[in-house]
Structures are given as structure tokens and as C-alpha cells.
Amino acid sequence: MRSNNEDGIGSSTLNDKAWDSLFEKYDIKEQVLRNGMYQITADQIREFREPRLMTKFDTKESIPKAFGKGRKMSILPDSRGSYVIGYFDSYLEFPEMERKIKHVDFPDYLQTISKTNINSEANVINVLGVTNILEDFLTEGKLIQTISGRMKSGIFDFTIHNNKDRSLHQIAVKNAQIEIDAGFENENCVCIMEAKNVVHKDFIVRQLYYPYRLWQGKVNKPVRTVFLVYSNNIFRLLEYEFLDSNCYSSVHFLRQKNYSFEDVDIKMEDLWDCYKRTRALAEPQGVPFIQANSFNTVISVLEMLKEDPKTFQEIAELVGFATRQAYYYVDAARYLGLVQKWKDTNGIIRAKLSELGQQVMQLPYKERQLKYIELMFQHEIFRTTFFMFAQHENMIDKQFVIEKMIELQLCGGSLVERRSSSVQGWLRWIFSIVNE
């Protein structure tokens, strides 16, 4: 039976502790239940920690524990020095990723930008400026970057749904600080872009809505909003619109498309070749069985460790989830032999790429994806389930996965169902990279 030592996973973050203190001192939950929302100032927050560190929750998972479980409260800025807290429907899940990837050529004359070293959101934006990716996605003529950086939001009111009963809250915004990663313009439209280099499950709509309201009030042409995720050498662009410009919750997904400079021509026969040239090995000792449903997020963790070793708290903050999830995702990469834990001279535990991990992260896109799959196929659970589901048009049956996990004694009985979701998630990723 495999062990499940979570290595201190349950510890609270500095943000958790500071928000616990704020909720207790100002009785915030009761105020929200009584009045619908609670306005808190930056000075109040600063009593316990710097506001800029306490109010940036890009994903639902990164919201501190004090905001509740399930349908949590969230926080939105309403001025330069204040915020409102309530049961706001602030986040939106990304749709399932489109499988097709379009190859684009990288300008071969460029020496100051490398297609193999796009390691920051700023680099991603620079690359967009020298290719026609954005123009192709929006079916627009040449777009010129004209906006970036921090600015005031302007003055506007909006409504937002309560995430418990769908009632509407009215919020007035007066010159809150916003930051726009990039804005582009041509004769037809303005495009506001939010860029990330980490794969998330969801995002806070404010990152698109506040800039949209600012520039909608300044220009007399359509304002289009695009979310860009660059990870695993793939540019994933998603366009959203607001059906009612005065309603935050009217956000509506329009379209998505993927682009890459690399060879992305992976076929089903490539997966079978991986299967045939590998054999199942013994399960790794001292590494818990995987509890990380998104293999795309495992890849994001590997990409950030490619730069340098990181603490679990740093990983959690960069990815935008709870610290315990950082342990789960690092352990998932350890399960494949790609990451190691080590203790630095100050006794702090960090994660770093193993020698194998360093080699794999240097491979081109196609070879790297197939190497990930080979490493999975060194585990009997993935060999057996892949063989089964590939024979049945990639239809993944949860009960079959659970039965095989029990047969292979991969984790305790109470954990099997939860961990089976991770096996299913990784299998879906395997089939999703087929680009034919």
C-alpha cells in the first residue's frame, strides 16, 4: 500500500492568517450576510499585511480560507484605496481546450527574441507583436500595440450576480487601479488582452471587465477582450464579450484557437509507438500516488522550475492555488521522475527539476509530449487504462479506472475514487494532444 505523507500540506499561508484576523476583527462574514457586502479600506488591510499582497486572487482556488468554502466570497476593488467583499460571482471557468493547433512561422531574422525562451508574460506579448497570431485569431487587419501598464479605471457602476441566489449587487467604481497586459488597435477595433503563462482552471473576470469599461468609455469603436495563455509552447487565445456592458456577470465566451511555432503533428500512431517501446516499472518509493487532475498544470509547474528551484509557497502563488495543491502537483511531477525535493542551507524545502526533468524540458514540443507519455506508460495503471480506452474510441470509464487502481493497490481505499479523477484527467490529456 502506498504512503500519503503530505509533508505539512495543511499549513496556513501569511494571507490566510492575515485574512482570518481581518474577518474576526471586523466581523466581515456577519456584515456581508446582513448588508450584502462589506467595504474594507486599504488602511484596514494594512494593519495585518500589505494590501497589494492581500487582494490579488486571480483564481478561485487562491482565495483565502476566511472567504468560505464552495460558493466563496470574493473581493473587488471599488476605488484607489478600498475594496468590497461579498458573495460575488467573480470567476469564470475556462472552456475545455480546443484540440487543433495551428502552426505559425517564427520570423527567422529575429535575434533578440527566441521562440525557445518565451518565459514571461511580457515576452509573450512581444512575440505577438512580431507575428500575425492575434490578427488571424480576430480576423482583423494589422493591429498595433498602444496600451499597457497600470492606470485608473475611470468612474462607472455595474451589477454582478450573487453566487448563492443569483440576485444582483450594485457596485460603484471610482478610479480603482487596474493593470492591462496589452492593448492593440486598428481602424476597426480596440483589443484588450490579459496574458498568463500558467494554466488555470478559471480566472477572475475583473481582469477583462474593468479595462473593458474604461476603454469602452474612451473610444468610439468596438472593444474586444482576449485572454491569452502561453504554456507548453502553445499560444491559447480565447475571446469573451459582455452581452450587457453594465453587467459584470454578462461575460460570454465567444471563441478560442491555439497556435505554435513548433512541430505539433502528433498522431494516434505516435501514442501507440510510445506504448510499444515502454514497459511497466515498479511504482516509485516514497512518492504518493498522483492527486493532480490537470496535466497541463503539471507542465506549468515544470516550466516555472525550469528557471530555478522554488519553494512550495512560491509555486502556489505563481500558479494561483492553495499551498497544499503545490505539494500535490510537485508530487505528480516527482511520480514521473521529473522533479526532486531538496532542503537548502536555511532548511527550507524546495522543488527542482531532476536531471531527467532538465533533459526533457530542453526537448522540442512534439518529442517532449511523447516523452511525458512514455514516462506515464512506465506505470501499469496508465498502460492498462490507455490500452482499454484507445480500443473504445477514447471513452474513459471511471469505474474501470477505480477497479484497476484497487487491483494495483495504488492508494488507500478511501482515496481511490478521488485519485481516480487524476488518472482520468491525465488520460484525457494524452488523447487531447493528438493533432490530426
Side-chain angles (χ1 to χ4, degrees), residues 37-229:
M37 65 179 77
Y38 176 74
Q39 186 181 58
I40 189 168
T41 67
D43 287 338
Q44 287 173 288
I45 296 172
R46 196 174 287 110
E47 294 173 31
F48 296 93
R49 203 169 186 228
E50 190 61 36
R52 64 182 176 80
L53 302 173
M54 288 275 284
T55 56
K56 187 178 186 298
F57 310 126
D58 290 349
T59 67
K60 195 181 296 183
E61 187 121 40
S62 63
I63 299 173
K65 298 173 185 176
F67 286 73
K69 297 179 180 179
R71 298 184 186 276
K72 306 175 183 180
M73 288 176 272
S74 57
I75 185 168
L76 294 169
D78 67 345
S79 76
R80 185 75 173 83
S82 62
Y83 306 82
V84 285
I85 297 172
Y87 285 101
F88 307 135
D89 197 8
S90 300
Y91 296 84
L92 185 69
E93 286 196 10
F94 288 111
E96 188 172 339
M97 186 172 178
E98 177 74 33
R99 287 179 58 169
K100 189 71 177 174
I101 304 170
K102 181 175 181 178
H103 177 80
V104 291
D105 292 325
F106 187 82
D108 57 9
Y109 61 86
L110 291 176
Q111 298 182 5
T112 55
I113 300 177
S114 169
K115 68 179 181 180
T116 61
N117 193 31
I118 305 172
N119 55 9
S120 70
E121 292 161 9
N123 283 348
V124 173
I125 299 298
N126 289 338
V127 168
L128 279 187
V130 298
T131 66
N132 69 340
I133 289 175
L134 185 59
E135 287 84 354
D136 180 86
F137 176 64
L138 295 175
T139 62
E140 286 284 351
K142 179 64 179 176
L143 287 150
I144 299 170
Q145 184 177 349
T146 57
I147 306 167
S148 68
R150 295 177 181 174
M151 59 199 74
K152 294 179 180 178
S153 68
I155 300 172
F156 59 88
D157 296 349
F158 69 89
T159 57
I160 184 170
H161 282 142
N162 182 296
N163 63 15
K164 287 183 174 289
D165 61 16
R166 309 304 292 167
S167 61
L168 286 172
H169 296 283
Q170 183 85 28
I171 296 176
V173 176
K174 184 177 181 181
N175 293 324
Q177 181 174 282
I178 63 173
E179 185 166 3
I180 299 176
D181 289 330
F184 301 82
E185 184 177 3
N186 67 8
E187 62 272 18
N188 299 321
C189 70
V190 172
C191 171
I192 300 296
M193 178 174 289
E194 177 68 20
K196 299 291 182 189
N197 57 3
V198 174
V199 174
H200 297 305
K201 179 181 178 181
D202 53 36
F203 70 99
I204 188 163
V205 176
R206 169 186 55 75
Q207 294 173 322
L208 294 178
Y209 184 69
Y210 279 33
Y212 164 78
R213 287 299 303 270
L214 169 64
W215 287 99
Q216 186 204 41
K218 285 177 172 282
V219 300
N220 60 4
K221 58 180 75 173
V223 177
R224 303 176 70 173
T225 53
V226 172
F227 206 106
L228 165 65
V229 181

Side-chain angles (χ1 to χ4, degrees), residues 194-364:
E194 177 68 20
K196 299 291 182 189
N197 57 3
V198 174
V199 174
H200 297 305
K201 179 181 178 181
D202 53 36
F203 70 99
I204 188 163
V205 176
R206 169 186 55 75
Q207 294 173 322
L208 294 178
Y209 184 69
Y210 279 33
Y212 164 78
R213 287 299 303 270
L214 169 64
W215 287 99
Q216 186 204 41
K218 285 177 172 282
V219 300
N220 60 4
K221 58 180 75 173
V223 177
R224 303 176 70 173
T225 53
V226 172
F227 206 106
L228 165 65
V229 181
Y230 179 79
S231 179
N232 201 21
N233 300 94
I234 305 295
F235 294 85
R236 183 189 184 193
L237 281 74
L238 306 98
E239 184 176 12
Y240 293 86
E241 66 176 345
F242 294 93
L243 299 176
D244 177 354
S245 61
N246 295 312
C247 182
Y248 180 113
S249 302
S250 70
V251 62
H252 173 69
F253 168 68
L254 281 175
R255 64 180 62 84
Q256 65 171 310
K257 198 168 181 179
N258 302 317
Y259 300 85
S260 181
F261 299 128
E262 300 206 40
D263 176 10
V264 293
D265 186 24
I266 297 176
K267 296 181 170 57
M268 196 66 195
E269 64 189 70
D270 294 316
L271 305 189
W272 280 114
D273 286 343
C274 289
Y275 181 87
K276 292 170 185 174
R277 64 174 172 258
T278 55
R279 292 291 180 270
L281 304 177
E283 289 291 292
Q285 295 297 308
V287 182
F289 189 69
I290 60 172
Q291 187 173 340
N293 291 3
S294 169
F295 194 72
N296 280 318
T297 304
V298 175
I299 292 171
S300 290
V301 170
L302 292 170
E303 288 176 332
M304 64 181 63
L305 294 178
K306 184 180 176 182
E307 299 301 311
D308 50 51
K310 289 181 171 57
T311 67
F312 290 87
Q313 182 62 40
E314 288 170 338
I315 292 169
E317 290 174 357
L318 286 167
V319 178
F321 52 31
T323 307
R324 69 179 183 280
Q325 292 287 340
Y327 281 88
Y328 295 153
Y329 276 88
V330 167
D331 281 343
R334 290 175 64 217
Y335 182 76
L336 298 180
L338 297 169
V339 167
Q340 298 172 336
K341 287 188 200 176
W342 67 291
K343 189 177 290 187
D344 67 17
T345 53
N346 297 316
I348 297 172
I349 297 175
R350 299 178 184 272
K352 66 176 181 178
L353 291 181
S354 65
E355 185 175 337
L356 173 63
Q358 294 174 37
Q359 294 169 3
V360 171
M361 296 308 290
Q362 296 300 322
L363 296 173

